[in-house]
Amino acid sequence: MVGPLEVAGPAENHGLSLSHQKPDLGFSVLHQRVQLDIDLALRKLRGSTEITISPHSADLKTIRLNSRQCSLNRLSVNGKPSASVVYTDPYKRSKLNWQADVHQHHMLQERIEGVLKVPPPEPELVVNLLKSTKIFELDPMITLDSAGRYAGDIAVVDLNQSNRPAVDQTTRFSSITVSVDFTIDEIRDGMQFCGWSPGDLQYPHAYSQNSVPGSACCLFPCLDAVDSRSTWEVTIKCARTIGDAFPQLHSSTDGTNGVDVADQEADRLPSFSDEEKALDLVVICSGDMTDEIVDTLDPTRKTTSFVCTTAVAPQHIGFAIGPFEHADLTSFRESDEDDKLGQNAIPVHGFCLPGRVDEVKSTCFPMAKAIDFFTITYGSYPFSSYKICFVEDSIADCVDTASLTLCSTRLLFPEDIIEPIDRVTRQLVYALACQWLGVNIIPKEPADTWAVVGMAYFITDMFIRKLMGNNEYRYRQRKTADRVCELDVARPSIYDTGKLLWLEPSQAEFLAAKAPLVLFVLDRRLTKASGSTGLSRIISRVFLNAKVGDLVNGALTTAYFQKTCEKLGHAKLDVFFAQWVFGAGCPRFRVTQRFNKKRLVVEMLIQQVQGDLPLPEDLKTDTFMREVKEDLQGIFAGAVQPVFMGPLTIRIHEADGTPYEHIVEIKEAMTKFDIPYNTKYKRLKRSRRQKERTTGPATDFTAETHDDVLLYCLGDVLQTEEEVQEWRLTEWSKEDEDKMSQESYEWIRMDADFEWICKMQLNQPGYMYLSQLQQDRDVVAQYESIQYMAQQREHPLVATILTRTLMDRRYFHGIRTTAAAALVKHAKDEIGWLGFRHLEKAFQEFYCLPDSKMTRSNDFSDRASYYIQCAIPQAMAKIRDNSGRTPFAVRRFLFEKLRYNDNSNNELSDCHYLSILMNSLAEAISAAKPLSENIFELGNANEDNLTFYESCIEEIDRHRRIDEWIPSYHNILSATAIDCKRRLMKAGGIPIKASDFVQYTQEGCYSDLRLTAFRCLMDLGLHKSDAILRWYLFVLATDPSPYIRENMIRLLGKTLGSIAIGESSSKAADAATMDNTGLIVEQESSTEARQADLARKQTIPGALAALKAELYGNSTLKSSLWQAIESPTVSLSQLGELLEICSLLYDTNSRMTVVLKLPRYWRCINNGRTINPLTSKPSHILTFQRTNKVRTKPLPKMKLPSAIPAPMSSPALKRSSSTSSTATGHPSLKISLKPPKKPGTPGVPASNAMAPPPGPGTPTDGTGRPKLTLKLHAPKPGKGGGPSTPRG
């Protein structure tokens, strides 16, 4: 159990870990050779491994290794069989061997808790060394090869000396070789087989899943820890083609039943065409391929060998086998870069299943450019080549192994798809960055993970900035900072989060968001303070130190990283690391400013208010399981830091347009200071400047006649009187202009250099934010201005500003889409629905025919324009009137755009755009049920009837039917259509029908479509149906796709969260308190009920108590959940998740239920007489059959006779060998029970196993049972029975 995590300073946290300390095993692995013989059709594996270890001392007695689900055939140490081997397979302990239920979950949890602990996993294979195994100290002058063997006098030059483990470079004791032969008959973890089962339409292939510590040992014995790094030799033997992977079926007939065995086996095998059977199986593995040899004895099999000369951990050795096609991604490298790099150019290879080479090229287009950027900017690539292989059903989108990244085919997209470009490109570039940071350089402790992950994402974002531009980069950083401020509430620090990655997937997501942002801020401060290149130079030095061996074993610590930053950045960073790395939370500033005309200074007051106690927030379904696990594990965030210290840059744009920067050092919770004012000019009235711009285009603004100049101004569109009237725009009032003219500066920008991850509140007038929006070139400044505008109440002037921002193409597309979303707040009846009018007019201006509302044919060649075209309908769907209904004009607008969408002349696919329109229309009509009477609203109420409502639903369903015949990318239209139905059903617009979703949950549909269907079923509360719940848990337990199983477990956690906090019950209660007129009926409730409901929504104990109360008595959930736990398909980690769910729902009961089968009656059938071929005599043939009639009454106890004749003692007699006696000297009695023979069957011996039922005329005991005769035989005198005579 992980104890409470408290925030501490760097002095007490450097190099320390609050997690389980790793024991010293007494040895290190130098080299490992692995040979695998994989039977793809039967999903079995036979292999051997040879592990060369280096003892840390001469008195090593025990070698502890990791090995799971393996059957050990032979184990030897230095070629001699080991006499003492202890092997405990956790998979054999993953099931209770009696009839248990959910109340015994703790008994199973105790069995496997050691396997699911914080890595490294506990060793399962213990080898005790024999006394004959000698370990002697080596002469420091001798030379060892890469495998730790004596190299004699041969001069060996190891080019990879720096990449080998540190213990290899300073080996002091003789190495030991452990050889293990093993087999795996049932591969449950560590490897995934796709397409090898009947009905599976995927191309058959297989790949390793050893992505985390504890899973590599599922394929071969090893020391499965991230810091156990060694060089590798891997040999994989498999079938040569798909057809060769299946055994040859020879027709043979079973004489008993006459069934063709070949036909039986063929039914269990998938069917392939002759072309598919001829496809060659390609083996891709970490490292460099040395040879590929076809077996001379069996030409249907081949052996492929690989070698990895760079020391890596077992979890970073991965492979894939399948009919992969090759895509040369090096060809996308520009010629000048190829010439510049020369021999240092790294080849980049892509592999995919047949028919998807074009998608690989489209998806991985920038990879060659990325690897060149990393190599030139930061340091040489640690391997000789880079390979990307796309496989099916992978849980993670990318799995990082040495020189190989196994990616999911979900990332692939063709050339006509543009929506996932940004997201997928960042994922793939990050996977490439992990080759440096994550595979070659590893965290020394789990707590140091933040540094490795942060640097990997930092260099990824540096390449994204080069690829997509600075505006895109800074805009995403600003949005990420806002997201981190929302997430980093009551959470541990990023230093402590590294020790909690095993707890829940959201921990890794939070670390991936905040860690690179902290390094971004560090880079900004170092660059500004020292004038150096910032963090890029530091990362280059870390890479160099890892290459030359200064970074021991390639393990990076937080203390080492801080020391390097301080050395190269020429600054002390104790305070920075204490606040942002070892501390939790983000600062929240409240800034007030006032211009003092007498002193000509700007008086400012900066307060940090993050310590103010916020109101308790309700629990959320998405984070419910994380908060529950943290609460149960005793993991708590430290106290909120009252003060964040550091430099804050304040930029004041004075009246002449000149920005003046002032750096203020924040050291206290309240900082008060004065900023001197420099300009003596007055601010120019905005209205006069706008008139000069519109009426006098030839005016020279650089002339000396103008005392102030606007050098840069955006948003100056729609300025003519005709446009103002047509768009119903509003200008500044005379009072505002007079007030603006009296201001002494244009605007104030807080944290102008983006050196803080914070929330900033500045009491600056709105027209100053407008100046910042229109005149500041920084996209972050523009985004902050739009954020301020979005918080204002509905007003015609604010709507005008947002509309001009939306219409100005010079703005970055992110600013324009944010402005479109902000216009929703101004679509109110109080100001004449200006927000809706402006959005509709903007869409008509950009995407409709001139002077018409008819949409033009789509043209997505301009990505910025495409994003605006998607943003306007999304904003439209959120417009509501005062009663909470969507105006009819909005619904009609969205309906027409969906119905009349034309993509015939567009080279790019519009499936994502159609999905947005469908979602927007469903969101709009779900907030407006069909009217039963005329109600005045925006638009023609006469058209708003049930017919229109049904037309909207039919239009959505039409695209679903089209998707069945012409599949869209990832079946996105079908997924969107059923999600729209879920939304409408939840709103009560259409009746709930489970059949609309169940048909998409079956195997054969696309994975994300199946998950969408299951999510719809759970969100609609259909888990209350026993059939649906049973089907859900059955798929969760038995589906062959680990991606499906993993996501369904997460969805089950969200469903439990929804039940726990009472989402469904609260919505039902709200519906119950609303009458037919739409009025809310207030009802009194007891104080206890209100407190219980509040505790349920805001506290973990209250939510768990409510969850248990609702689901404890559900017998279907109990039985189905336990069946899922006993399923042999789920992995150990998934088993642990299910057991944790059981611990939340059910009490423990330490009992063992023993089930005994009741005896059944037998019957005897006389088949007549026949001649026995052995004796040539007539015999009866009797057939005994067990009936279904159960014997429920026990037989009466057998009574012994009261008087037994006393045996005669004869001590002088010798002991007979055939007669036994008791220890008291009395002779034993021989008891035999013989049932009476059945009349009519003379000569038939009685059965020893079971007596036949009594026949007619047989004496019985009154209950139908035959009477048994008891005979007691006492030994006769003179034939033994006396005391035994001692021997000798």
Side-chain angles (χ1 to χ4, degrees):
M1 178 176 175
V2 180
L5 302 179
E6 299 294 339
V7 176
E12 56 193 299
N13 264 302
H14 281 188
L16 299 180
S17 174
L18 300 180
S19 61
H20 297 278
Q21 298 294 328
K22 293 178 291 187
D24 184 13
L25 299 177
F27 66 92
S28 299
V29 179
L30 298 180
H31 181 77
Q32 184 163 355
R33 180 184 291 110
V34 177
Q35 296 178 348
L36 302 177
D37 187 350
I38 303 176
D39 190 331
L40 297 171
L42 300 180
R43 306 187 184 191
K44 296 183 179 181
L45 185 149
R46 183 175 69 253
S48 63
T49 183
E50 184 180 291
I51 307 175
T52 304
I53 67 173
S54 173
H56 294 172
S57 63
D59 56 353
L60 178 66
K61 302 300 181 183
T62 304
I63 298 177
R64 300 177 180 271
L65 300 173
N66 299 110
S67 178
R68 300 179 183 176
Q69 72 182 9
C70 300
S71 298
L72 304 184
N73 301 330
R74 186 183 64 86
L75 191 148
S76 62
V77 179
N78 288 340
K80 298 179 180 180
S82 179
S84 177
V85 178
V86 180
Y87 175 48
T88 304
D89 186 3
Y91 287 85
K92 294 182 179 179
R93 297 172 52 83
S94 62
K95 186 177 180 180
L96 300 179
N97 298 324
W98 62 87
Q99 187 174 353
D101 56 20
V102 291
H103 296 287
Q104 285 82 53
H105 63 268
H106 63 291
M107 305 175 74
L108 182 56
Q109 206 164 13
E110 291 173 358
R111 288 187 169 198
I112 65 172
E113 63 178 355
V115 183
L116 302 176
K117 280 183 179 179
V118 181
E122 296 182 354
E124 299 86 11
L125 178 59
V126 180
V127 181
N128 297 317
L129 299 181
L130 300 175
K131 294 182 179 180
S132 59
T133 304
K134 303 297 182 181
I135 302 175
F136 52 88
E137 191 169 0
L138 298 176
D139 186 348
M141 300 304 296
I142 67 173
T143 304
L144 299 178
D145 63 5
S146 61
R149 297 182 295 264
Y150 176 66
D153 297 331
I154 302 176
V156 178
V157 180
D158 188 0
L159 300 178
N160 296 283
Q161 175 74 15
S162 60
N163 290 325
R164 287 161 53 190
V167 67
D168 186 6
Q169 303 175 27
T170 59
T171 302
R172 295 180 52 219
F173 298 93
S174 59
S175 62
I176 298 176
T177 302
V178 180
S179 301
V180 184
D181 293 345
F182 58 93
T183 57
I184 305 178
D185 294 329
E186 295 182 2
I187 300 179
R188 186 170 176 178
D189 272 337
M191 193 171 179
Q192 175 64 20
F193 296 84
C194 302
W196 301 98
S197 302
D200 195 344
L201 302 180
Q202 302 174 112
Y203 278 99
H205 61 287
Y207 56 92
S208 61
Q209 289 183 310
N210 49 329
S211 57
V212 294
S215 55
C217 59
C218 294
L219 295 181
F220 48 85
C222 60
L223 185 57
D224 200 354
V226 70
D227 58 349
S228 175
R229 294 149 61 88
S230 63
T231 54
W232 293 81
E233 294 180 51
V234 181
T235 301
I236 298 177
K237 186 176 182 180
C238 64
R240 189 175 56 86
T241 65
I242 292 179
D244 296 335
F246 296 96
Q248 298 294 329
L249 302 180
H250 301 285
S251 179
S252 62
T253 303
D254 190 347
T256 304
N257 51 23
V259 177
D260 194 343
V261 177
D263 293 339
Q264 287 183 331
E265 296 186 5
D267 293 339
R268 295 193 296 266
L269 298 177
S271 58
F272 298 103
S273 63
D274 294 338
E275 183 179 356
E276 291 172 339
K277 292 180 180 179
L279 292 175
D280 289 333
L281 293 178
V282 180
V283 180
I284 307 166
C285 184
S286 301
D288 302 322
M289 186 175 69
T290 57
D291 54 32
E292 185 176 17
I293 303 173
V294 177
D295 195 340
T296 56
L297 300 178
D298 186 2
T300 63
R301 302 182 67 80
K302 66 178 180 179
T303 303
T304 311
S305 302
F306 300 85
V307 60
C308 184
T309 57
T310 303
V312 295
Q315 71 180 80
H316 294 142
I317 296 296
F319 61 87
I321 306 171
F324 298 113
E325 295 181 353
H326 176 256
D328 185 11
L329 302 179
T330 311
S331 59
F332 295 111
R333 180 178 285 128
E334 298 179 2
S335 57
D336 55 343
E337 294 180 354
D338 204 357
D339 297 339
K340 182 179 179 180
L341 293 171
Q343 295 182 350
N344 294 326
I346 304 299
V348 183
H349 307 282
F351 296 92
C352 63
L353 296 173
R356 311 196 72 171
V357 172
D358 293 337
E359 295 182 31
V360 171
K361 293 181 178 180
S362 175
T363 305
C364 303
F365 177 79
M367 297 308 294
K369 192 178 186 69
I371 199 170
D372 294 342
F373 173 80
F374 291 155
T375 303
I376 296 174
T377 308
Y378 300 106
S380 59
Y381 182 65
F383 306 101
S384 59
S385 65
Y386 180 61
K387 302 176 285 291
I388 310 175
C389 183
F390 291 89
V391 295
E392 300 280 357
D393 293 337
S394 175
I395 297 178
D397 288 337
C398 297
V399 177
D400 306 310
T401 64
S403 74
L404 169 65
T405 299
L406 297 174
C407 299
S408 171
T409 54
R410 298 185 299 272
L411 299 181
L412 292 175
F413 58 86
E415 293 182 354
D416 61 343
I417 298 295
I418 62 175
E419 186 74 20
I421 288 179
D422 297 341
R423 172 182 56 85
V424 172
T425 299
R426 190 170 187 263
Q427 283 183 279
L428 292 179
V429 174
Y430 172 73
L432 173 61
C434 288
Q435 296 296 313
W436 281 269
L437 293 153
V439 176
N440 188 49
I441 297 177
I442 59 173
K444 184 175 179 60
E445 298 288 341
D448 302 317
T449 305
W450 77 271
V452 176
V453 172
M455 284 193 291
Y457 272 111
F458 181 83
I459 65 176
T460 298
D461 292 335
M462 290 295 103
F463 174 74
I464 295 298
R465 181 176 67 175
K466 178 182 179 182
L467 184 67
M468 300 182 180
N470 192 56
N471 280 346
E472 180 78 25
Y473 169 71
R474 289 181 61 83
Y475 175 74
R476 291 184 178 274
Q477 293 293 89
R478 179 69 263 177
K479 295 197 70 174
T480 304
D482 292 342
R483 180 168 169 262
V484 168
C485 290
E486 295 175 359
L487 294 176
D488 198 4
V489 178
R491 299 190 73 142
S493 64
I494 57 175
Y495 182 82
D496 293 327
T497 301
K499 296 171 283 190
L500 307 176
L501 298 180
W502 58 273
L503 189 65
E504 220 269 334
S506 62
Q507 301 286 357
E509 297 172 3
F510 171 72
L511 187 67
K514 186 175 180 181
L517 204 58
V518 169
L519 294 185
F520 169 78
V521 172
L522 177 62
D523 175 69
R524 302 293 298 171
R525 295 192 181 184
L526 290 178
T527 303
K528 192 171 182 179
S530 61
S532 64
T533 55
L535 201 61
S536 296
R537 182 186 175 195
I538 295 171
I539 295 176
S540 300
R541 179 61 62 87
V542 171
F543 288 178
L544 180 61
N545 292 346
K547 183 179 181 180
V548 300
D550 188 22
L551 205 60
V552 179
N553 200 27
L556 180 68
T557 64
T558 302
Y560 182 90
F561 179 70
Q562 179 181 347
K563 180 181 178 181
T564 306
C565 292
E566 291 177 344
K567 181 179 180 180
L568 299 180
H570 309 290
K572 296 297 292 182
L573 298 174
D574 291 337
V575 175
F576 180 87
F577 274 73
Q579 294 178 157
W580 297 103
V581 177
F582 304 107
C586 297
R588 299 176 184 272
F589 294 108
R590 184 184 299 154
V591 183
T592 57
Q593 54 84 27
R594 186 178 70 88
F595 180 69
N596 191 323
K597 293 184 179 181
K598 293 183 179 181
R599 300 171 54 201
L600 290 178
V601 295
V602 180
E603 300 173 347
M604 301 198 72
L605 175 64
I606 301 178
Q607 296 175 289
Q608 297 190 38
V609 295
Q610 66 270 8
D612 297 349
L613 294 177
L615 296 175
E617 296 183 357
D618 292 346
L619 298 173
K620 300 178 181 178
T621 58
D622 293 339
T623 60
F624 175 76
M625 290 303 297
R626 176 184 65 82
E627 295 182 5
V628 167
K629 291 178 181 179
E630 290 179 352
D631 185 76
L632 296 179
Q633 294 289 340
I635 299 170
F636 306 102
V640 178
Q641 301 179 70
V643 179
F644 281 82
M645 295 180 288
L648 179 65
T649 302
I650 303 174
R651 183 179 299 161
I652 300 181
H653 293 255
E654 299 188 3
D656 62 347
T658 305
Y660 292 91
E661 288 191 355
H662 307 272
I663 301 177
V664 179
E665 194 70 27
I666 304 296
K667 296 182 179 180
E668 299 177 353
M670 182 178 295
T671 306
K672 189 175 182 180
F673 54 91
D674 297 333
I675 297 178
Y677 187 71
N678 300 280
T679 305
K680 297 182 180 181
Y681 299 99
K682 288 187 177 181
R683 178 187 177 101
L684 187 64
K685 292 184 180 181
R686 181 170 302 277
S687 60
R688 184 165 64 87
R689 169 62 63 208
Q690 292 172 351
K691 291 180 182 179
E692 291 175 351
R693 188 177 297 110
T694 55
T695 60
T699 305
D700 184 9
F701 291 112
T702 61
E704 296 180 358
T705 57
H706 294 86
D707 51 5
D708 62 339
V709 179
L710 292 175
L711 300 178
Y712 187 78
C713 190
L714 297 173
D716 54 353
V717 297
L718 305 179
Q719 297 288 342
T720 64
E721 295 182 2
E722 294 79 5
E723 292 173 333
V724 170
Q725 293 179 358
E726 181 183 0
W727 286 75
R728 297 170 59 183
L729 303 178
T730 303
E731 300 292 351
W732 293 98
S733 64
K734 189 176 184 305
E735 292 78 9
D736 291 333
E737 290 183 358
D738 293 340
K739 191 175 182 179
M740 292 162 58
S741 64
Q742 298 301 321
E743 294 289 350
S744 300
Y745 48 84
E746 292 281 340
W747 73 91
I748 298 177
R749 175 93 185 279
M750 304 297 297
D751 189 23
D753 288 339
F754 202 168
E755 300 172 279
W756 292 78
I757 308 172
C758 65
K759 286 287 187 180
M760 189 79 65
Q761 181 181 353
L762 174 63
N763 68 332
Q764 185 173 242
Y767 48 79
M768 290 190 177
Y769 279 106
L770 174 61
S771 299
Q772 177 176 315
L773 174 64
Q774 294 183 342
Q775 299 181 43
D776 202 320
R777 295 175 179 267
D778 188 3
V779 69
V780 176
Q782 298 169 4
Y783 180 70
E784 292 172 353
S785 300
I786 292 293
Q787 283 183 311
Y788 172 82
M789 300 291 179
Q791 297 173 358
Q792 305 308 306
R793 290 181 55 86
E794 61 272 7
H795 195 278
L797 183 58
V798 180
T800 299
I801 296 171
L802 295 174
T803 301
R804 284 174 171 161
T805 304
L806 173 62
M807 297 301 296
D808 194 343
R809 299 176 185 269
R810 294 172 295 175
Y811 278 110
F812 177 66
H813 65 80
I815 303 300
R816 298 173 65 192
T817 55
T818 308
L823 274 171
V824 174
K825 201 169 186 179
H826 304 274
K828 297 295 182 181
D829 190 23
E830 291 77 5
I831 58 174
W833 302 98
L834 279 179
F836 167 70
R837 303 293 184 189
H838 291 166
L839 287 172
E840 184 182 33
K841 186 72 174 175
F843 193 92
Q844 181 179 348
E845 185 76 16
F846 287 142
Y847 310 109
C848 294
L849 298 174
D851 301 327
S852 172
K853 293 185 178 181
M854 179 58 65
T855 308
R856 296 196 306 264
S857 179
N858 293 331
D859 183 8
F860 298 157
S861 58
D862 185 356
R863 289 185 61 198
S865 176
Y866 168 75
Y867 291 137
I868 303 301
Q869 189 172 354
C870 294
I872 293 178
Q874 288 176 309
M876 283 269 204
K878 294 178 173 57
I879 296 176
R880 301 290 184 270
D881 58 17
N882 295 332
S883 63
R885 288 171 48 85
T886 304
F888 174 71
V890 174
R891 286 175 277 144
R892 182 175 57 187
F893 171 85
L894 296 172
F895 173 72
E896 291 175 351
K897 298 303 174 283
L898 179 60
R899 166 170 284 188
Y900 301 114
N901 176 70
D902 179 16
N903 203 60
S904 57
N905 298 324
N906 191 13
E907 296 181 354
L908 302 176
S909 172
D910 65 340
C911 59
H912 285 91
Y913 176 62
L914 283 173
S915 174
I916 290 173
L917 290 178
M918 293 165 66
N919 273 321
S920 301
L921 179 59
E923 183 179 358
I925 64 176
S926 63
K929 297 180 183 179
L931 296 175
S932 58
E933 57 183 354
N934 293 330
I935 298 179
F936 176 77
E937 62 171 356
L938 178 66
N940 188 358
N942 294 329
E943 300 179 14
D944 186 13
N945 50 30
L946 185 60
T947 303
F948 175 77
Y949 190 82
E950 293 175 348
S951 299
C952 295
I953 299 176
E954 173 62 25
E955 187 63 27
I956 293 174
D957 198 59
R958 181 176 70 89
H959 287 84
R960 180 192 61 82
R961 295 194 301 270
I962 292 176
D963 192 48
E964 293 180 355
W965 293 97
I966 308 175
S968 59
Y969 174 72
H970 289 178
N971 291 119
I972 186 174
L973 295 183
S974 296
T976 304
I978 63 175
D979 188 66
C980 292
K981 284 188 177 182
R982 174 201 60 84
R983 189 192 298 268
L984 295 173
M985 291 178 183
K986 200 169 183 179
I990 57 177
I992 296 178
K993 292 177 58 178
S995 59
D996 291 344
F997 310 103
V998 173
Q999 59 179 330
Y1000 294 104
T1001 62
Q1002 301 181 17
E1003 190 176 355
C1005 296
Y1006 183 68
S1007 299
D1008 288 338
L1009 178 59
R1010 297 180 64 194
L1011 293 174
T1012 302
F1014 277 117
R1015 185 174 64 251
C1016 294
L1017 289 172
M1018 297 296 104
D1019 191 46
L1020 290 172
L1022 293 175
H1023 54 80
K1024 298 178 182 179
S1025 169
D1026 291 344
I1028 297 297
L1029 182 59
R1030 193 179 296 110
W1031 168 245
Y1032 182 92
L1033 293 175
F1034 174 79
V1035 175
L1036 183 150
T1038 61
D1039 198 273
S1041 171
Y1043 175 73
I1044 293 290
R1045 297 196 304 269
E1046 188 74 18
N1047 282 274
M1048 290 188 69
I1049 290 178
R1050 297 182 188 179
L1051 179 56
L1052 180 60
K1054 293 181 181 180
T1055 304
L1056 295 179
S1058 176
I1059 299 173
I1061 64 180
E1063 273 193 354
S1064 56
S1065 59
S1066 62
K1067 291 177 181 179
D1070 293 342
T1073 57
M1074 183 178 296
D1075 61 6
N1076 296 331
T1077 61
L1079 299 178
I1080 303 297
V1081 180
E1082 295 185 358
Q1083 298 179 353
E1084 296 183 0
S1085 59
S1086 63
T1087 304
E1088 293 79 5
R1090 289 197 301 268
Q1091 290 178 350
D1093 185 68
L1094 189 64
R1096 177 180 192 173
K1097 294 182 179 298
Q1098 295 183 353
T1099 65
I1100 295 296
L1104 291 179
L1107 178 65
K1108 183 179 292 187
E1110 289 201 18
L1111 298 180
Y1112 191 84
N1114 192 327
S1115 58
T1116 302
L1117 178 62
K1118 286 184 178 181
S1119 59
S1120 300
L1121 185 58
W1122 190 251
Q1123 289 175 4
I1125 289 174
E1126 291 186 327
S1127 171
T1129 306
V1130 297
S1131 64
L1132 276 187
S1133 61
Q1134 294 167 352
L1135 176 61
E1137 293 284 342
L1138 294 176
L1139 290 174
E1140 285 187 355
I1141 292 176
C1142 281
S1143 65
L1144 302 180
L1145 298 177
Y1146 305 108
D1147 299 328
T1148 60
N1149 188 356
S1150 300
R1151 67 181 183 186
M1152 180 184 295
T1153 304
V1154 179
V1155 179
L1156 300 177
K1157 293 183 179 181
L1158 293 173
R1160 298 178 183 272
Y1161 285 95
W1162 287 73
R1163 66 181 177 182
C1164 177
I1165 301 175
N1166 188 351
N1167 297 319
R1169 300 181 61 181
T1170 184
I1171 301 300
N1172 192 333
L1174 299 178
T1175 61
S1176 300
K1177 295 181 179 181
S1179 301
H1180 281 273
I1181 300 177
L1182 301 179
T1183 302
F1184 291 91
Q1185 294 180 350
R1186 189 171 62 173
T1187 65
N1188 293 329
K1189 185 178 180 181
V1190 179
R1191 187 188 300 273
T1192 57
K1193 294 182 180 181
L1195 293 173
K1197 293 184 179 180
M1198 198 163 32
K1199 296 181 181 180
L1200 296 176
S1202 57
I1204 301 177
M1208 297 178 63
S1209 60
S1210 178
L1213 296 178
K1214 294 183 179 180
R1215 179 182 178 185
S1216 174
S1217 59
S1218 60
T1219 306
S1220 59
S1221 62
T1222 60
T1224 59
H1226 297 288
S1228 59
L1229 300 179
K1230 181 178 180 181
I1231 301 176
S1232 62
L1233 299 177
K1234 297 182 178 179
K1237 297 181 179 179
K1238 182 179 178 181
T1241 56
V1244 178
S1247 174
N1248 294 329
M1250 180 66 71
T1258 303
T1260 62
D1261 60 355
T1263 61
R1265 303 185 184 90
K1267 290 184 178 180
L1268 303 179
T1269 303
L1270 177 65
K1271 294 182 179 181
L1272 303 178
H1273 299 277
K1276 297 180 180 180
K1279 293 186 179 181
S1284 61
T1285 304
R1287 296 182 180 178

